[in-house]
Amino acid sequence: MQLRNLIHKAKGLTAIVNTPLTLIAGIGLIALLPACNSTNGEEAPKNKVEAPAVPAVETVPLQKGMLSTNLSIPGELIAFQQVDLYAKENSFVKKLYADVGTEVKAGQLLATMEAPELTSLESAAQSRLKSQEAVYIASKANYDRLLETSKTPGTVSQNDLDQALAKKNSDFAQWDAAKAQYREVADRKGYLEIRAPFNGVITTRNANPGAYVGPSGKGSEFPLFTLQEQKKLRLVIYVPEAYTGYLDQQDKVNFTVNAFPNEKFTAQVKRLAGALDLKLRSQRIEMDVANEKKRLLPGMVSSVIIPLSTKDSSFILPKSAVVSSQERVFVIKVVNGKAEWVDVKKGRENDGKVEVFGELSAGDAIVKTGSEEVREGSAVNVKK
């Protein structure tokens, strides 16, 4: 009924006002009339604006503790002593007394060489030595006679006595030089014998009887023998700069090798370089390894397990509490219901926990699961 009445009223208006502009206004009035009244006489509901929800987070109290971890570093086993033995004199190998795998003692004869020209030089030096000795004996006897005669006044002039003394001293010097020359040739002949400088095992042999060897030419290309001390080995590792403070002298570490994967060996720290390698930015550390049974071999690659235990406690948090973004590394501290981002540096990690260093205090409430969604200064709801 109301709709019909409105239509009749609109028709009445069109009858009164017959201009186009009036017609348009009348139609607009018809469109507005239903909006002014509702079927039940109530106003249209308005949209309600709800406040954003405060995120609920779980916090953990910041505490200090000791975090002990292990660092695995590759190492290399090398012989405690190793030497390449060469021939000092040009000669020919006469006889070999050791071969690869021979265990030798210090001073043991390994090989002998022969050099005929050295034998000739020795004979010549010996002849010269005997000649100079005879000359000296004669000049000494002459001086002694003149000295004895000079005791009688007027028999020998002082000049003759001085010349006899000078001749005796000169001949003695020549005799001494001949002895030195003879010793030199004898020493050179001694180089024709190759002896072991220390206890060890022959690991390389590059010569056979009759081979030409010496300090020059093709015979000097390879050493006669390579000798290694294997009952005691060196374990060499390079420790990165960040971990150089965890190892001291006399510390013991464990290591494994591929040849015995299920067995752990022990080494003791003996030598620290005390400086960083400029290329690797790491410190060379050597450890002594007892190897009486010679199960371990020089050249083996090992995995060294270094315990990283600290003497002082540090702040420890779950790894989930540390947020690592492209710009910063931080944790979220709750202060008076507000989130506060605190920049930190991470230390060692182990078993889901991590060391943190920053402007923090014991007892601070830290969000257990940090996220960039919890913005700086935003309100947070701490779970009870």
Side-chain angles (χ1 to χ4, degrees):
M1 290 297 292
Q2 293 180 354
L3 181 58
R4 289 180 181 179
N5 292 334
L6 290 173
I7 294 173
H8 287 303
K9 290 180 180 180
K11 289 181 178 180
L13 289 172
T14 55
I16 296 172
V17 184
N18 51 10
T19 62
L21 182 60
T22 308
L23 178 61
I24 294 171
I27 295 172
L29 179 62
I30 295 172
L32 291 174
L33 287 175
C36 295
N37 298 303
S38 60
T39 55
N40 54 8
E42 296 180 356
E43 294 182 357
K46 298 180 180 179
N47 294 331
K48 295 181 180 180
V49 179
E50 297 181 357
V54 178
V57 295
E58 183 181 355
T59 61
V60 292
L62 185 63
Q63 296 177 349
K64 283 192 172 184
M66 303 286 286
L67 188 63
S68 180
T69 60
N70 293 325
L71 176 67
S72 180
I73 293 181
E76 182 184 9
L77 288 167
I78 62 175
F80 192 78
Q81 294 185 92
Q82 176 174 329
V83 64
D84 293 331
L85 301 175
Y86 289 85
K88 183 175 175 59
E89 294 292 333
N90 292 324
S91 55
F92 296 93
V93 178
K94 184 177 181 180
K95 189 174 183 180
L96 298 176
Y97 299 92
D99 208 332
V100 173
T102 303
E103 188 168 348
V104 299
K105 301 293 183 181
Q108 181 175 331
L109 183 62
L110 304 180
T112 56
M113 278 83 68
E114 54 184 356
E117 60 274 14
L118 283 181
T119 304
S120 300
L121 288 175
E122 184 182 25
S123 299
Q126 188 175 17
S127 298
R128 184 171 181 273
L129 174 62
K130 291 180 178 180
S131 174
Q132 290 297 327
E133 182 181 8
V135 171
Y136 169 70
I137 292 174
S139 62
K140 182 178 183 301
N142 181 50
Y143 171 75
D144 291 341
R145 284 193 300 271
L146 289 177
L147 180 62
E148 187 65 26
T149 305
S150 66
K151 293 179 181 180
T152 303
T155 55
V156 179
S157 67
Q158 185 63 37
N159 182 53
D160 292 341
L161 188 62
D162 292 341
Q163 287 185 358
L165 177 61
K167 180 70 168 59
K168 184 194 79 164
N169 292 338
S170 175
D171 291 341
F172 178 79
Q174 293 294 327
W175 182 38
D176 206 20
K179 287 191 290 185
Q181 185 178 10
Y182 178 77
R183 285 196 301 267
E184 178 187 356
V185 177
D187 290 341
R188 290 179 62 183
K189 286 196 69 176
Y191 293 136
L192 298 178
E193 293 182 348
I194 303 297
R195 296 182 180 272
F198 52 82
N199 299 343
V201 177
I202 300 297
T203 59
T204 304
R205 192 205 75 182
N206 296 311
N208 291 300
Y212 172 78
V213 293
S216 61
K218 191 174 180 60
S220 63
E221 186 175 1
F222 300 104
L224 293 177
F225 300 98
T226 297
L227 177 64
Q228 291 183 343
E229 181 180 352
Q230 296 183 354
K231 289 188 176 181
K232 188 177 182 182
L233 301 178
R234 297 174 189 257
L235 177 58
V236 180
I237 61 175
Y238 288 87
V239 178
E241 178 182 358
Y243 303 102
T244 53
Y246 293 102
L247 278 181
D248 295 319
Q249 285 188 342
Q250 308 305 321
D251 286 348
K252 291 185 177 181
V253 299
N254 296 323
F255 68 94
T256 59
V257 294
N258 294 332
F260 309 100
N262 297 323
E263 187 174 353
K264 287 187 177 181
F265 300 89
T266 302
Q268 188 174 22
V269 178
K270 283 293 184 180
R271 291 162 293 277
L272 289 80
L276 296 181
D277 182 272
L278 297 180
K279 294 182 179 179
L280 302 176
R281 307 304 302 176
S282 58
Q283 179 180 213
R284 179 187 173 105
I285 295 179
E286 291 187 359
M287 311 173 196
D288 289 349
V289 181
N291 190 37
E292 289 294 331
K293 297 181 179 179
K294 296 192 293 185
R295 298 179 65 201
L296 300 174
L297 303 178
M300 281 186 171
V301 177
S302 62
S303 177
V304 184
I305 303 169
I306 299 177
L308 303 180
S309 57
T310 57
K311 299 178 182 179
D312 298 326
S313 59
S314 56
F315 290 125
I316 298 176
L317 285 173
K319 292 175 64 174
S320 60
V322 182
V323 183
S324 299
S325 66
Q326 295 182 351
E327 299 178 354
R328 58 198 291 192
V329 178
F330 62 92
V331 297
I332 303 173
K333 181 170 67 172
V334 178
V335 181
N336 298 326
K338 300 286 187 178
E340 181 180 332
W341 289 9
V342 180
D343 291 332
V344 296
K345 290 184 178 180
K346 294 194 296 184
R348 296 167 300 157
E349 300 181 8
N350 185 34
D351 196 22
K353 296 181 179 180
V354 61
E355 287 180 331
V356 293
F357 305 93
E359 297 182 0
L360 299 169
S361 302
D364 288 345
I366 306 298
V367 176
K368 185 175 182 180
T369 304
S371 173
E372 291 184 283
E373 295 179 359
V374 182
R375 305 304 300 172
E376 171 87 20
S378 63
V380 294
N381 180 20
V382 180
K383 293 181 179 180
K384 301 298 182 180

